[in-house]
Amino acid sequence: MPLIPEEPQIHESAQGPRATPANGRTAPTPRPVPGPRPAAPSRPGRPGPLRPTPPVQRTPRDVVPAKPGPSGPAAPAATAASPQIQLVPASAEGALDAAEEAVDLLLDSGRAPGDVLVITTGAQHPWAEHELSFGEASYWAQHDAGDDVFYADAAQASRAASRPVVVVAVNGGPASVAASALPLAHARAGALLIVCGDPQQINSVLGAGV
């Protein structure tokens, strides 16, 4: 009696269906045809593949023509604006008090103490007298620090630096001192000049010297 070949046994652990050819041999499981490989993801910290950017065609509207400069000599720079002048009528005896009130109003309005310079034409301000008692070096060091109101007489004002606001107290002294102090104060004031004193004297000096 001829032997009948045994059918191959399929185990559960086998993956996928297996075709059984006529000769009884197990055919290999067909593998999928590999398609195009996807692009590899970029690694952290490294840029991915760069794609060439097509050139941007600029139209004439995109180009802003440069403005030609002046053909003649360069125009001179604009001169700095003169400071505003405020006159506070006061006698020679009350000029210093009027100057103090003006300083208080400036600080109350938001001005920094270092923005204000006070010049006297007669007796020195008590603060200046007190600070000068410690020596000129200490006195001018406070000026250079620029963090507080600075008081100087007309003789010292020439050494003082410019500040946004200058207050002048015409509290006596020779007329020649006021005549030289007011133009100097005008030159030192960046934005505002406040003069406390006799209006007639002040107007005559400022009208001629400024």
Side-chain angles (χ1 to χ4, degrees):
M1 173 181 239
L3 296 177
I4 300 175
E6 297 181 358
E7 296 182 359
Q9 296 180 357
I10 300 175
H11 298 280
E12 295 181 358
S13 60
Q15 298 179 356
R18 294 176 179 266
T20 305
N23 58 3
R25 294 184 180 181
T26 302
T29 303
R31 297 181 180 180
V33 179
R37 295 184 179 180
S42 59
R43 297 182 180 179
R46 293 187 180 182
L50 299 178
R51 297 182 179 180
T53 304
V56 179
Q57 296 182 356
R58 300 177 63 89
T59 61
R61 290 180 299 176
D62 297 328
V63 181
V64 179
K67 295 182 179 180
S71 56
T79 57
S82 298
Q84 180 184 357
I85 301 176
Q86 292 184 4
L87 174 59
V88 179
S91 63
E93 293 77 14
L96 195 55
D97 291 337
E100 284 289 348
E101 292 180 4
V103 172
D104 291 340
L105 290 174
L106 289 169
L107 300 181
D108 291 342
S109 66
R111 276 287 180 183
D115 288 350
V116 184
L117 169 67
V118 180
I119 300 174
T120 58
T121 62
Q124 286 182 333
H125 189 278
W127 181 91
E129 289 183 349
H130 175 74
E131 295 302 325
L132 282 170
S133 66
F134 298 102
E136 293 243 349
S138 174
Y139 172 74
W140 287 107
Q142 297 190 54
H143 165 271
D144 297 338
D147 54 2
D148 203 352
V149 181
F150 191 77
Y151 298 85
D153 61 20
Q156 298 161 332
S158 59
R159 181 175 172 180
S162 299
R163 292 199 177 189
V165 182
V166 176
V167 181
V168 180
V170 186
N171 60 334
S176 59
V177 175
S180 60
L182 289 177
L184 176 63
H186 186 270
R188 293 290 188 273
L192 179 62
L193 171 63
I194 301 176
V195 185
C196 306
D198 178 43
Q200 185 176 357
Q201 179 186 8
I202 294 170
N203 287 326
S204 63
V205 172
L206 288 178
V210 178

